[in-house]
Amino acid sequence: MDRLLFGDNQFFGVNHMSEDKARTQAMRFQSLDSIMSVLDAAYDADVTTFMCTTHDRIVDVADRFRAEPQRYSRQVVYPCMPYAHKYANAMTEAGIFGAIRQFLPSEGLLDAAMRGGKSLANKDIEGIITLLIDAEMKMFRGLNTPVIFLQNVVVDFLLGMGFTEAFRIFADHVSSRYNAEPGFITMNMPRLLVALDAVGIENPIVCTSINKLGFRMSGGLDSYLDALRNRRFRAIAMSVFASGAIRADEAIEWVASLPNIESMVFGASSRTNIESTAQLVTKHWSRTPELLRTA
Amino acid sequence: MVNVGVVGLGKMGLSHFSIINAHQDTNVVGLCDSSGYILDILTKYTGVSTYSNLETMLDGTDIDAVVIATPSKYHAPMVRTCLERGIHVFCEKPFCLDPADSIALAQLASDKRLVTQVGYHNRHIATFREVKRLLEAGVLGTVTHVLAEAYGPVVLKPKGGTWRSKKEEGGGALYDYAAHPADVLTWYFGRPESISGTVLGKVFSAETEDEVFTTLNWPGGLSGQLSVSWSDESHRKMTTSISIWGTNGKIVVDRQELRVYLRDAADAPEGYVKGWTVRYTTELTDEVDFYVRGEEYSAQVDVWLKRIGDSAVRGTADFIDASVTDEVLSTICNNIDGGLRHLDAQSESSDGQSLSAAQTGLWTRLKNRQRNRRLRSGSRY
């Protein structure tokens, strides 16, 4: 994995600090061109991995990547599934299984439709999960997706219930069908590591909030530091700036000082911000710019 | 250790199960739902015992506390069953569709010294709590007007097959969405005396309202407006915001950001200045032990479990608080002609048998008790 990964919260009206800011960003990124110009800026700054949710609008971004294979020859995409609000809003309206049915492939692939109906009828969770993964992955066909993530809402929800078998099903499917490594996003990192261990997922890629403030680090900063020192896993730090509550320089210097962090994911809306973040990572962490690309 | 059962395994029930199951002070000893399908899956993959009937679950396990997250029309009978057996209850919102049930159950819980809470999670959001503190400190001077808004993308086309699209089961934007900002209003300002100018608008739904607009009046001259739509696609998810005007300035708050404008900050709490002060959730929120979908969902369960441990019968969003909100919702629901409705009058007319809380003197007794308690404990809420 690259040292620096580019996230997508800024494009879709997600800001953990301000609804106004989120709305302003959502308006600014109304057009695909404005999203692409920021992604291009990241690419040109050697930040060539785009870690994105399976939001409907990513379909258009993926089309652009496919349309210009030369321009985006080094582009890597880490899909993060599912875009949870899509399911949550559908669940309120249609109930849990109504929502699942809504997102299972229903046309075109007769086989998938059959598999879906059968899986639902037989309570075959493995069948349902794999079909949902396939439905989410459709938009990425032909792109380089070496790591596929399960979003934190789903990971943490399953973790709390003790439904950890689902992690193994997810991991097996993304590696066998997509030849990708499974990744897990969580707000409960130390606890998740124990659960992944228990279902036999070794040295997992785990993306989690890691910041100087302890923001969204459930179980406390110390338990995170302890896990970083003593557990075997590949950590990606997110919320490094705690949504802007920590100065960039200070935030990156602190994260770079921690052991065992392989990458950090960040969001930015301008070329200047991307370049300055890349410079800070080079300064505090990689020492040489080449390391930005491959940790 | 508190032994907990969860009834109703939809979105909220499963979310509570996840949070409570991960909690260090609890055992989830039973899950109950009418769908055998979901029970089979949960038994198989989580190992927790499942039941298709509440009574069977209560008979078959040693349960101290129950979470009820069934469709709203089942709340009252299920809550009663649990309370009569001496079980603490956390009930999803809205508490009861008929305020006479709310008041009777609040009384029953109070008599049996049981710890109750309703899932009004906004009361556990740091920014909203900070506003409660500021209001109690009187920073705005005399509060003159409040606007409570909630918008989100739930019903965006003309269909819907669940209980949420059925009016008689407590579906619709009033009980589903408006309940939240309405509860913030009763939490901040107590019980309004009247409701008027209600518009329950349909956008896409056939049987229920998709929009709620209404005016509330409190004793002493404070007025408020509620503006709610669950058919607003411009929001990614439910967004609740409250704006409050007073003689000394204004507060605008949502779950992430708190903006306070003060004309005079001489008596304001530390950190608040003349003019604008802006504070964010990142600075105000306490970390939770286990996070699923917003700190407030974990925090509300923590508070309830801690109250059970401490035998703290009164607490924020308990059945008594929720009964006030239920009275408001029921009055809005019955205000279809938009005329002026007093909260008490409505209770009398809807059911000749039931006594309103004001008539039984429950509010006065509870208000005094609450005030005494606050003085004793210096409660944060």
Side-chain angles (χ1 to χ4, degrees), chain A residues 129-142:
Chain A
I129 292 175
T130 58
L131 273 168
L132 288 173
I133 295 169
D134 294 348
E136 298 279 314
M137 282 302 290
K138 254 165 76 179
M139 67 174 85
F140 301 104
R141 70 189 182 283

Side-chain angles (χ1 to χ4, degrees), chain A residues 15-20 83 85 92-93 96-97 120 123 157 160-161 163 187-188 191 214 216 218, chain B residues 11 14 18 21-22 37 40 45 162 164 236-237 254 256-257 259 280-281 287-288 290-291 295:
Chain A
N15 184 292
H16 300 302
M17 210 147 133
S18 158
E19 300 258 4
D20 278 351
Y83 177 64
H85 293 298
T92 302
E93 206 209 340
I96 290 179
F97 290 100
L120 274 177
K123 298 160 191 164
F157 178 64
M161 292 200 295
F163 203 145
M187 303 292 186
N188 307 285
R191 203 188 285 242
R216 296 262 154 93
S218 315
Chain B
K11 185 171 81 171
L14 288 172
S18 178
N21 197 43
Y37 191 95
D40 286 350
Y45 289 97
T162 71
R164 288 178 201 269
R236 186 171 71 90
K237 56 177 181 174
D254 58 40
Q256 280 144 316
E257 195 175 8
R259 284 164 285 184
Y280 296 100
T281 181
E287 290 314 314
V288 294
F290 185 75
Y291 179 108
E295 285 86 1

Side-chain angles (χ1 to χ4, degrees), chain A residues 79-255:
Chain A
C80 307
M81 62 179 62
Y83 177 64
H85 293 298
K86 186 166 75 177
Y87 283 87
N89 292 328
M91 261 162 86
T92 302
E93 206 209 340
I96 290 179
F97 290 100
I100 289 176
R101 255 186 223 111
Q102 219 170 302
F103 295 109
L104 284 176
S106 58
E107 51 194 66
L109 289 164
L110 187 63
D111 159 60
M114 289 291 291
R115 257 206 293 163
K118 237 188 205 166
S119 297
L120 274 177
N122 297 338
K123 298 160 191 164
D124 168 16
I125 283 297
E126 188 152 354
I128 296 171
I129 292 175
T130 58
L131 273 168
L132 288 173
I133 295 169
D134 294 348
E136 298 279 314
M137 282 302 290
K138 254 165 76 179
M139 67 174 85
F140 301 104
R141 70 189 182 283
L143 299 178
N144 184 15
T145 56
V147 185
I148 299 171
F149 286 90
L150 197 57
Q151 285 280 21
N152 58 286
V153 173
V154 176
V155 169
D156 293 331
F157 178 64
L158 294 168
L159 176 65
M161 292 200 295
F163 203 145
T164 49
E165 185 63 17
F167 300 144
R168 193 199 52 75
I169 297 171
F170 174 80
D172 288 352
H173 191 66
V174 301
S175 56
S176 65
R177 173 101 186 224
Y178 298 96
N179 196 23
E181 285 200 62
F184 300 88
I185 308 178
T186 182
M187 303 292 186
N188 307 285
M189 179 263 272
R191 203 188 285 242
L192 177 68
L193 293 176
V194 176
L196 292 177
D197 216 23
V199 291
I201 300 173
E202 284 175 12
N203 198 19
I205 296 175
V206 173
C207 177
T208 190
S209 298
I210 298 180
N211 57 68
K212 204 177 175 175
L213 273 187
F215 178 64
R216 296 262 154 93
M217 297 168 71
S218 315
L221 191 63
D222 289 343
S223 68
Y224 273 59
L225 296 180
D226 183 62
L228 284 169
R229 285 192 199 100
N230 300 314
R231 284 205 162 261
R232 194 163 156 264
F233 72 111
R234 302 173 64 191
I236 300 174
M238 66 176 182
S239 296
V240 169
F241 311 119
S243 276
I246 315 172
R247 272 193 314 112
D249 191 24
E250 188 186 342
I252 292 174
E253 184 176 17
W254 185 80
V255 167

Side-chain angles (χ1 to χ4, degrees), chain B residues 163-184:
Chain B
W163 64 272
R164 288 178 201 269
S165 63
K166 295 193 182 72
K167 189 77 198 162
E168 67 277 12
E169 297 191 19
L174 174 63
Y175 280 102
D176 208 274
Y177 250 49
H180 284 296
D183 180 69
V184 175

Side-chain angles (χ1 to χ4, degrees), chain A residues 45-123:
Chain A
D46 260 346
V47 181
T48 54
T49 301
F50 181 38
M51 189 163 163
C52 60
T53 51
T54 51
H55 191 287
D56 288 344
R57 296 195 60 206
I58 293 295
V59 174
D60 301 327
V61 173
D63 282 343
R64 288 281 182 103
F65 287 154
R66 277 187 294 264
E68 291 186 73
Q70 295 294 294
R71 168 77 176 93
Y72 299 108
S73 61
R74 290 188 291 129
Q75 185 69 53
V76 172
V77 178
Y78 289 176
C80 307
M81 62 179 62
Y83 177 64
H85 293 298
K86 186 166 75 177
Y87 283 87
N89 292 328
M91 261 162 86
T92 302
E93 206 209 340
I96 290 179
F97 290 100
I100 289 176
R101 255 186 223 111
Q102 219 170 302
F103 295 109
L104 284 176
S106 58
E107 51 194 66
L109 289 164
L110 187 63
D111 159 60
M114 289 291 291
R115 257 206 293 163
K118 237 188 205 166
S119 297
L120 274 177
N122 297 338
K123 298 160 191 164

Side-chain angles (χ1 to χ4, degrees), chain B residues 11-29:
Chain B
K11 185 171 81 171
M12 290 314 301
L14 288 172
S15 159
H16 289 307
F17 168 41
S18 178
I19 291 167
I20 292 173
N21 197 43
H23 202 283
Q24 56 187 1
D25 302 329
T26 62
N27 289 319
V28 175
V29 293

